[in-house]
Amino acid sequence: MAREMLISVALGQVLSLLICGIGLTSKYLSEDFHANTPVFQSFLNYILLFLVYTTTLAVRQGEENLLAILRRRWWKYMILGLIDLEANYLVVKAYQYTTLTSIQLLDCFVIPVVILLSWFFLLIRYKAVHFLGIFVCILGMGCMAGADVLVGRHQGAGENKLVGDLLVLGGATLYGISNVWEEYIIRTLSRVEFLGMIGLFGAFFSGIQLAIMEHKELLKVPWDWQIGLLYVGFSACMFGLYSFMPVVIKKTSATSVNLSLLTADLYSLFCGLFLFHYKFSGLYLLSFFTILIGLMLYSSTSTYIAQDPRVYKQFRNPSGPVVDLPTTAQVEPSVTYTSLGQETEEEPHVHVA
C-alpha cells in the first residue's frame, strides 16, 4: 500500500515538473522576447497530438478507426476540444489583468469542480481522509501565496483585477470539466482515442482562433534560434504533459492529479531562485512539504465508485459496441461500491439495494 501511494505521488510530480517547464519557457518568451502567443503555443501542441495520435487512429481498423469514432461521437469531442483550448487560453490571458497570487489561489477552484463532477458524473465516493488530504494541500497552497506577498515577489499588473479573477475562475472550471471528461474517456474507451480526437479538434479550433485573434502578434515575434528553441521546449513539455497525464489519471484519478499539480508553482519558484533571482523564504519549503503530506494523505486509501451499470453508457453511441444489460428480469436500481485502487479477488463488494 505504501509503495502504491509513493508511486502515485511520484507520477504526479512528473506532471508538475512538465508544467514547470511549460511555465519557464512561456515566461522567457513573453518577458524576454515579448512573444505573447498563447494560442499559437497551444496550436503547436495540438498539431503534435494530431501527427502522433490522430494519424494512429486513422490507420486502425474496425470500430477504433478515426472515421468510425467520428461517426459515433464527433460532436462530443468537438465540445471537449473547445473546452480544453479555452481553459488554457483563459488562464494565460488572466496574467494580463490580475496578480500572480490571485491566480495561484483562484486556480485551486479546479479542485472542488473536479470533486463535484467526479461525484455526480463518475459516481466517485470519497472518505474523510481524502477531504483531509485536500484541505492540507490547499493549506500548503495558501502558505505559498502568503510567502509570495512577504518576499514581494512580482505580482503582475493587476490593472483590472476583477476581470482577471473571473478569467481564472472560468479557466479553472473548464479545466475541471476537461479533466473529469478525460478520466471518463480513458477508463471507458482509450487513451489514444482521447488524445487523437483532442489533437484533431484542438488543432482545428486553435487554428481558427489563431487566424482571428493572434496573427498580428505572431508577425511581431523577432524570430531567431533562441526563440525557436523556446517554442520547441514549450511544445515538448506540453506534448509530454498531454501524453502522460492520461496514464497518471488512469492510475490515480483526476482529483489526485490536480492536487499533485499544486507543486508546479513551487518547482517554478525553485528554478526562479537561480534563473530570475527570486527572493527565498522558508515558507516555500513549508508549503512544498505541506502539499506533499496532503498528497500522501489523499493517496493513502482508495476512493470508491457508486456504480449504476447503466450510467457508463452515456458517452458511447447506442449503435456502438456496448454490452447491454440482461433483459431476462427487471433491472432494479442499485449502487455497487468498488475500489478504484489495486483490487484483489477477496475484496468484498457492498451492494445497496
Side-chain angles (χ1 to χ4, degrees):
M1 188 66 182
R3 182 174 176 270
E4 288 292 318
M5 177 186 68
L6 292 176
I7 289 174
S8 297
V9 173
L11 290 174
Q13 296 316 292
V14 172
L15 296 178
S16 279
L17 288 170
L18 288 170
I19 290 184
C20 172
I22 291 167
L24 289 176
T25 51
S26 293
K27 182 177 176 63
Y28 273 116
L29 283 169
S30 63
E31 295 190 4
D32 290 10
F33 296 96
H34 307 290
N36 297 306
T37 56
V39 179
F40 176 66
Q41 290 165 231
S42 294
F43 178 72
L44 292 176
N45 173 55
Y46 290 128
I47 287 294
L48 287 175
L49 293 175
F50 177 87
L51 292 174
V52 175
Y53 296 105
T54 310
T55 53
T56 300
L57 292 177
V59 299
R60 284 184 172 180
Q61 303 297 319
E63 296 295 332
E64 294 185 345
N65 177 264
L66 176 62
L67 293 178
I69 294 169
L70 285 173
R71 279 196 299 268
R72 295 195 305 273
R73 297 184 281 273
W74 67 270
W75 64 272
K76 298 175 183 178
Y77 282 118
M78 182 182 71
I79 295 171
L80 181 57
L82 270 174
I83 289 173
D84 189 76
L85 170 64
E86 298 310 323
N88 291 321
Y89 178 75
L90 289 178
V91 173
V92 172
K93 192 71 175 175
Y95 281 91
Q96 299 179 18
Y97 298 101
T98 190
T99 62
L100 176 65
T101 301
S102 290
I103 291 173
Q104 289 171 341
L105 292 175
L106 293 175
D107 204 31
C108 294
F109 186 67
V110 69
I111 294 171
V113 171
V114 168
I115 291 172
L116 288 174
L117 292 176
S118 297
W119 182 283
F120 288 108
F121 293 100
L122 299 184
L123 306 180
I124 292 176
R125 299 295 179 259
Y126 303 91
K127 298 178 181 178
V129 68
H130 295 122
F131 291 108
L132 177 61
I134 292 167
F135 173 77
V136 172
C137 285
I138 294 177
L139 188 65
M141 198 66 189
C143 181
M144 184 186 72
D148 283 344
V149 174
L150 289 175
V151 302
R153 187 177 167 197
H154 175 62
Q155 293 293 301
E159 295 175 354
N160 198 335
K161 197 170 183 299
L162 178 60
V163 172
D165 291 349
L166 291 175
L167 288 174
V168 178
L169 290 174
T173 301
L174 294 180
Y175 270 131
I177 295 170
S178 177
N179 287 168
V180 172
W181 205 336
E182 177 179 354
E183 179 175 356
Y184 174 79
I185 293 171
I186 63 176
R187 291 192 187 280
T188 59
L189 297 168
S190 77
R191 166 180 170 269
V192 174
E193 177 174 325
F194 168 77
L195 293 172
M197 301 309 287
I198 282 289
L200 175 63
F201 287 104
F204 176 74
F205 288 118
S206 62
I208 293 174
Q209 191 166 338
L210 173 64
I212 296 172
M213 301 177 60
E214 212 172 80
H215 64 282
K216 291 182 180 179
E217 285 292 332
L218 198 58
L219 292 174
K220 295 178 184 177
V221 175
W223 292 98
D224 60 22
W225 68 269
Q226 290 177 304
I227 290 180
L229 196 60
L230 286 171
Y231 275 116
V232 169
F234 174 90
S235 300
C237 290
M238 199 73 163
F239 179 78
L241 177 69
Y242 270 70
S243 298
F244 190 50
M245 184 176 283
V247 177
V248 183
I249 286 179
K250 191 168 185 178
K251 178 73 177 176
T252 57
S253 68
T255 305
S256 179
V257 165
N258 279 283
L259 290 172
S260 298
L261 297 183
L262 294 178
T263 57
D265 286 328
L266 286 162
Y267 288 128
S268 297
L269 168 76
F270 295 145
C271 292
L273 293 173
F274 302 98
L275 298 175
F276 309 117
H277 307 293
Y278 289 158
K279 293 181 181 178
F280 179 75
S281 168
L283 286 176
Y284 288 126
L285 285 178
L286 177 63
S287 172
F288 180 74
F289 287 112
T290 300
I291 293 173
L292 287 183
I293 290 170
L295 285 171
M296 287 188 284
L297 280 171
Y298 184 90
S299 304
S300 63
T301 186
S302 299
T303 52
Y304 289 84
I305 296 178
Q307 182 175 348
D308 183 325
R310 292 163 293 188
V311 169
Y312 285 85
K313 288 185 178 183
Q314 292 177 0
F315 192 83
R316 296 176 182 267
N317 188 293
S319 62
V322 181
V323 179
D324 289 327
L325 294 172
T327 56
T328 54
Q330 185 177 1
V331 179
E332 297 180 0
S334 63
V335 179
T336 305
Y337 292 88
T338 56
S339 173
L340 276 181
Q342 187 174 12
E343 296 185 2
T344 62
E345 292 183 1
E346 299 81 41
E347 184 174 357
H349 294 260
V350 181
H351 180 275
V352 182

mmCIF file of all heavy atoms in Angstrom, residues 128-152:
data_model
loop_
_atom_site.group_PDB
_atom_site.id
_atom_site.type_symbol
_atom_site.label_atom_id
_atom_site.label_comp_id
_atom_site.label_asym_id
_atom_site.label_seq_id
_atom_site.Cartn_x
_atom_site.Cartn_y
_atom_site.Cartn_z
ATOM 1 N N ALA A 128 -13.279 10.397 4.586
ATOM 2 C CA ALA A 128 -12.862 11.569 5.362
ATOM 3 C C ALA A 128 -11.387 11.887 5.140
ATOM 4 O O ALA A 128 -10.989 13.061 5.073
ATOM 5 C CB ALA A 128 -13.137 11.326 6.849
ATOM 6 N N VAL A 129 -10.544 10.852 4.994
ATOM 7 C CA VAL A 129 -9.109 11.075 4.819
ATOM 8 C C VAL A 129 -8.825 11.790 3.495
ATOM 9 O O VAL A 129 -7.865 12.564 3.391
ATOM 10 C CB VAL A 129 -8.339 9.733 4.911
ATOM 11 C CG1 VAL A 129 -8.649 8.830 3.714
ATOM 12 C CG2 VAL A 129 -6.834 9.981 5.023
ATOM 13 N N HIS A 130 -9.664 11.566 2.488
ATOM 14 C CA HIS A 130 -9.479 12.257 1.211
ATOM 15 C C HIS A 130 -9.734 13.763 1.378
ATOM 16 O O HIS A 130 -8.962 14.595 0.880
ATOM 17 C CB HIS A 130 -10.413 11.688 0.146
ATOM 18 C CG HIS A 130 -10.112 10.261 -0.199
ATOM 19 N ND1 HIS A 130 -11.032 9.250 -0.074
ATOM 20 C CD2 HIS A 130 -8.980 9.675 -0.650
ATOM 21 C CE1 HIS A 130 -10.489 8.116 -0.443
ATOM 22 N NE2 HIS A 130 -9.243 8.343 -0.790
ATOM 23 N N PHE A 131 -10.799 14.112 2.068
ATOM 24 C CA PHE A 131 -11.101 15.523 2.294
ATOM 25 C C PHE A 131 -10.035 16.181 3.171
ATOM 26 O O PHE A 131 -9.698 17.352 2.980
ATOM 27 C CB PHE A 131 -12.490 15.681 2.907
ATOM 28 C CG PHE A 131 -13.600 15.339 1.960
ATOM 29 C CD1 PHE A 131 -14.345 14.183 2.132
ATOM 30 C CD2 PHE A 131 -13.891 16.157 0.874
ATOM 31 C CE1 PHE A 131 -15.365 13.855 1.255
ATOM 32 C CE2 PHE A 131 -14.914 15.837 -0.008
ATOM 33 C CZ PHE A 131 -15.650 14.684 0.177
ATOM 34 N N LEU A 132 -9.501 15.413 4.135
ATOM 35 C CA LEU A 132 -8.413 15.938 4.963
ATOM 36 C C LEU A 132 -7.179 16.218 4.108
ATOM 37 O O LEU A 132 -6.538 17.269 4.242
ATOM 38 C CB LEU A 132 -8.077 14.940 6.072
ATOM 39 C CG LEU A 132 -6.905 15.321 6.993
ATOM 40 C CD1 LEU A 132 -7.199 16.634 7.722
ATOM 41 C CD2 LEU A 132 -6.614 14.199 7.992
ATOM 42 N N GLY A 133 -6.836 15.287 3.220
ATOM 43 C CA GLY A 133 -5.694 15.480 2.331
ATOM 44 C C GLY A 133 -5.876 16.689 1.428
ATOM 45 O O GLY A 133 -4.938 17.467 1.204
ATOM 46 N N ILE A 134 -7.091 16.869 0.881
ATOM 47 C CA ILE A 134 -7.385 18.023 0.028
ATOM 48 C C ILE A 134 -7.222 19.323 0.808
ATOM 49 O O ILE A 134 -6.634 20.297 0.314
ATOM 50 C CB ILE A 134 -8.813 17.905 -0.543
ATOM 51 C CG1 ILE A 134 -8.887 16.744 -1.544
ATOM 52 C CG2 ILE A 134 -9.253 19.205 -1.197
ATOM 53 C CD1 ILE A 134 -10.299 16.342 -1.921
ATOM 54 N N PHE A 135 -7.734 19.342 2.050
ATOM 55 C CA PHE A 135 -7.624 20.537 2.887
ATOM 56 C C PHE A 135 -6.162 20.875 3.162
ATOM 57 O O PHE A 135 -5.752 22.049 3.078
ATOM 58 C CB PHE A 135 -8.364 20.320 4.208
ATOM 59 C CG PHE A 135 -8.175 21.434 5.197
ATOM 60 C CD1 PHE A 135 -8.862 22.631 5.050
ATOM 61 C CD2 PHE A 135 -7.302 21.288 6.269
ATOM 62 C CE1 PHE A 135 -8.682 23.665 5.959
ATOM 63 C CE2 PHE A 135 -7.116 22.316 7.174
ATOM 64 C CZ PHE A 135 -7.812 23.507 7.016
ATOM 65 N N VAL A 136 -5.336 19.871 3.456
ATOM 66 C CA VAL A 136 -3.912 20.106 3.741
ATOM 67 C C VAL A 136 -3.205 20.639 2.496
ATOM 68 O O VAL A 136 -2.366 21.552 2.585
ATOM 69 C CB VAL A 136 -3.247 18.806 4.241
ATOM 70 C CG1 VAL A 136 -1.734 18.982 4.359
ATOM 71 C CG2 VAL A 136 -3.824 18.402 5.600
ATOM 72 N N CYS A 137 -3.533 20.105 1.304
ATOM 73 C CA CYS A 137 -2.928 20.592 0.059
ATOM 74 C C CYS A 137 -3.260 22.060 -0.188
ATOM 75 O O CYS A 137 -2.375 22.860 -0.535
ATOM 76 C CB CYS A 137 -3.417 19.752 -1.130
ATOM 77 S SG CYS A 137 -2.670 18.112 -1.248
ATOM 78 N N ILE A 138 -4.519 22.419 -0.009
ATOM 79 C CA ILE A 138 -4.927 23.815 -0.223
ATOM 80 C C ILE A 138 -4.299 24.727 0.830
ATOM 81 O O ILE A 138 -3.929 25.869 0.543
ATOM 82 C CB ILE A 138 -6.463 23.920 -0.227
ATOM 83 C CG1 ILE A 138 -7.027 23.167 -1.440
ATOM 84 C CG2 ILE A 138 -6.912 25.380 -0.265
ATOM 85 C CD1 ILE A 138 -8.527 23.141 -1.514
ATOM 86 N N LEU A 139 -4.139 24.211 2.056
ATOM 87 C CA LEU A 139 -3.450 24.967 3.102
ATOM 88 C C LEU A 139 -2.014 25.255 2.677
ATOM 89 O O LEU A 139 -1.507 26.385 2.858
ATOM 90 C CB LEU A 139 -3.466 24.176 4.413
ATOM 91 C CG LEU A 139 -2.965 24.882 5.670
ATOM 92 C CD1 LEU A 139 -3.885 26.039 6.030
ATOM 93 C CD2 LEU A 139 -2.877 23.900 6.830
ATOM 94 N N GLY A 140 -1.347 24.262 2.087
ATOM 95 C CA GLY A 140 0.017 24.468 1.596
ATOM 96 C C GLY A 140 0.071 25.501 0.489
ATOM 97 O O GLY A 140 1.008 26.308 0.412
ATOM 98 N N MET A 141 -0.950 25.500 -0.368
ATOM 99 C CA MET A 141 -1.005 26.481 -1.450
ATOM 100 C C MET A 141 -1.188 27.893 -0.888
ATOM 101 O O MET A 141 -0.580 28.858 -1.368
ATOM 102 C CB MET A 141 -2.172 26.133 -2.370
ATOM 103 C CG MET A 141 -2.107 26.764 -3.732
ATOM 104 S SD MET A 141 -0.707 26.127 -4.664
ATOM 105 C CE MET A 141 -0.755 27.240 -6.069
ATOM 106 N N GLY A 142 -2.020 28.017 0.141
ATOM 107 C CA GLY A 142 -2.197 29.314 0.792
ATOM 108 C C GLY A 142 -0.911 29.800 1.433
ATOM 109 O O GLY A 142 -0.600 31.000 1.406
ATOM 110 N N CYS A 143 -0.142 28.875 1.993
ATOM 111 C CA CYS A 143 1.145 29.212 2.596
ATOM 112 C C CYS A 143 2.097 29.770 1.539
ATOM 113 O O CYS A 143 2.821 30.745 1.777
ATOM 114 C CB CYS A 143 1.737 27.964 3.251
ATOM 115 S SG CYS A 143 3.311 28.215 4.076
ATOM 116 N N MET A 144 2.079 29.169 0.331
ATOM 117 C CA MET A 144 2.943 29.647 -0.747
ATOM 118 C C MET A 144 2.535 31.056 -1.187
ATOM 119 O O MET A 144 3.392 31.931 -1.408
ATOM 120 C CB MET A 144 2.876 28.709 -1.946
ATOM 121 C CG MET A 144 3.821 29.103 -3.061
ATOM 122 S SD MET A 144 3.625 28.106 -4.538
ATOM 123 C CE MET A 144 2.059 28.721 -5.126
ATOM 124 N N ALA A 145 1.224 31.291 -1.310
ATOM 125 C CA ALA A 145 0.749 32.620 -1.704
ATOM 126 C C ALA A 145 1.145 33.661 -0.656
ATOM 127 O O ALA A 145 1.534 34.788 -0.991
ATOM 128 C CB ALA A 145 -0.759 32.599 -1.895
ATOM 129 N N GLY A 146 1.062 33.285 0.629
ATOM 130 C CA GLY A 146 1.481 34.195 1.693
ATOM 131 C C GLY A 146 2.962 34.506 1.615
ATOM 132 O O GLY A 146 3.379 35.657 1.839
ATOM 133 N N ALA A 147 3.765 33.495 1.276
ATOM 134 C CA ALA A 147 5.208 33.716 1.139
ATOM 135 C C ALA A 147 5.506 34.674 -0.008
ATOM 136 O O ALA A 147 6.409 35.523 0.086
ATOM 137 C CB ALA A 147 5.917 32.375 0.913
ATOM 138 N N ASP A 148 4.750 34.564 -1.101
ATOM 139 C CA ASP A 148 4.932 35.483 -2.232
ATOM 140 C C ASP A 148 4.723 36.932 -1.808
ATOM 141 O O ASP A 148 5.462 37.838 -2.214
ATOM 142 C CB ASP A 148 3.945 35.143 -3.359
ATOM 143 C CG ASP A 148 4.374 33.930 -4.160
ATOM 144 O OD1 ASP A 148 5.550 33.541 -4.058
ATOM 145 O OD2 ASP A 148 3.535 33.364 -4.875
ATOM 146 N N VAL A 149 3.690 37.153 -0.996
ATOM 147 C CA VAL A 149 3.392 38.509 -0.532
ATOM 148 C C VAL A 149 4.502 39.016 0.388
ATOM 149 O O VAL A 149 4.955 40.168 0.281
ATOM 150 C CB VAL A 149 2.030 38.541 0.196
ATOM 151 C CG1 VAL A 149 1.788 39.906 0.805
ATOM 152 C CG2 VAL A 149 0.906 38.191 -0.771
ATOM 153 N N LEU A 150 4.988 38.154 1.286
ATOM 154 C CA LEU A 150 6.001 38.571 2.261
ATOM 155 C C LEU A 150 7.325 38.930 1.610
ATOM 156 O O LEU A 150 8.001 39.875 2.032
ATOM 157 C CB LEU A 150 6.208 37.457 3.296
ATOM 158 C CG LEU A 150 5.057 37.235 4.286
ATOM 159 C CD1 LEU A 150 5.339 36.032 5.168
ATOM 160 C CD2 LEU A 150 4.841 38.480 5.145
ATOM 161 N N VAL A 151 7.729 38.168 0.578
ATOM 162 C CA VAL A 151 9.019 38.448 -0.057
ATOM 163 C C VAL A 151 8.893 39.467 -1.188
ATOM 164 O O VAL A 151 9.887 39.845 -1.809
ATOM 165 C CB VAL A 151 9.666 37.151 -0.599
ATOM 166 C CG1 VAL A 151 9.865 36.148 0.508
ATOM 167 C CG2 VAL A 151 8.859 36.559 -1.754
ATOM 168 N N GLY A 152 7.649 39.906 -1.470
ATOM 169 C CA GLY A 152 7.454 40.913 -2.510
ATOM 170 C C GLY A 152 7.692 40.393 -3.901
ATOM 171 O O GLY A 152 8.163 41.119 -4.776
#
